[in-house]
Amino acid sequence: MKVLVAPDKFKGSLTAAEVASAVAAGLADVHPAATVTALPVADGGEGTVDAAVSAGFRRVSVPARGPTGQPLTASYAVRGRTAVVELAEASGLHRLPAGPEPRTASSAGIGDVIAAAVRAGCRRIVLGVGGSACTDGGAGLLTALGARLLDDAGRELPPGGAALSELASLDLSGLSWVDIELASDVDNPLYGPDGAAAVYGPQKGASSVDVEVLDSALRHWASIAGPEFADRPGAGAAGGVGFAAMAVLGARMRPGIELLLDLLGFGAALAGADLVVTGEGSLDRQTLSGKAPAGVARAAAAAGVPCVAVSGRCLLSAVELAQAGIAAGYALTDLEPDPARCMAEAAPLLRRLARRVAADHLG
């Protein structure tokens, strides 16, 4: 028997690599002769760099700015001339030193990381855009790559989305052009009721007034930087980083899990497999909207390989799982009803859960 274990992280308790290790150990407990291949995955959000490193990329640490300009160390993953960059590494919510700053948080830090990768010789940048702390339309990203955003007096704008309302001109003469592929499942436009500020701003601490200010500023930003891109699906990703990357840098957008599976060599790892085990912390409605387990299950189904999923909790019915290509779902809460204990003891519980998977599906 050959089993491919390809989970995402259990957010707050286990990395994707730790999930894969626990599952592999549980499978081996029941079927020690089975060949188990671990391939931790990600969909472009937090954990994307870790997944790339687990697949053989090399981690590189570089200095960058956080969302409020504070110095920090961020990392990207590299193999050959391809770099995998995770926006949350430098510009994520967890990088805010003193709470949300919805009007002033900047994406400049992820531009710092990309610039460092380019200086190191990378020519292809795969950018995962989940977990952003900013709603600056990607302006910070562009300034870190050499663009200048000027007001009507020729002064450079301060960081953050709110300042974009004062933009008079965009100087791209010093811009470093890079080949970027965006890994994202967000299809929101840049502004409007379904835009970056309205939908995601409140998650970043924006009040109703902040949302109005930011949405108006993003609308103005688009009128100068590329109005024809504002309604593109994904323009609102990461507070508008998707818009800047597509409108100014010519980036291409692909569903995050599809792009990452290609990059991580999922097809080769799947060859000859009898079963795929995927999973994430919570199997729920969001899973069905392009999250990692659904993408893994879809790829497995295309190859005719059955797929099951493990999770901390499962809020999907058997019918919903089947519609996503998942033959069965196994949750830690099946073993331990206390969510706190599930979080604290996730690895040993997951190993026990994997024994059930082995008994049910490996004969």
Side-chain angles (χ1 to χ4, degrees), residues 1-5 273-277 305-308 357 361-362:
M1 298 291 291
K2 178 180 177 181
V3 184
L4 175 59
V5 182
D274 300 289
L275 178 70
V276 173
V277 182
V305 181
C307 179
V308 300
V357 173
H361 298 278
L362 300 184

Side-chain angles (χ1 to χ4, degrees), residues 22 26 29 335 347-357:
D29 289 341
L335 303 176
L349 286 171
L350 190 54
R351 183 169 182 167
R352 285 174 54 194
L353 201 65
R355 294 173 190 154
R356 289 190 178 185
V357 173

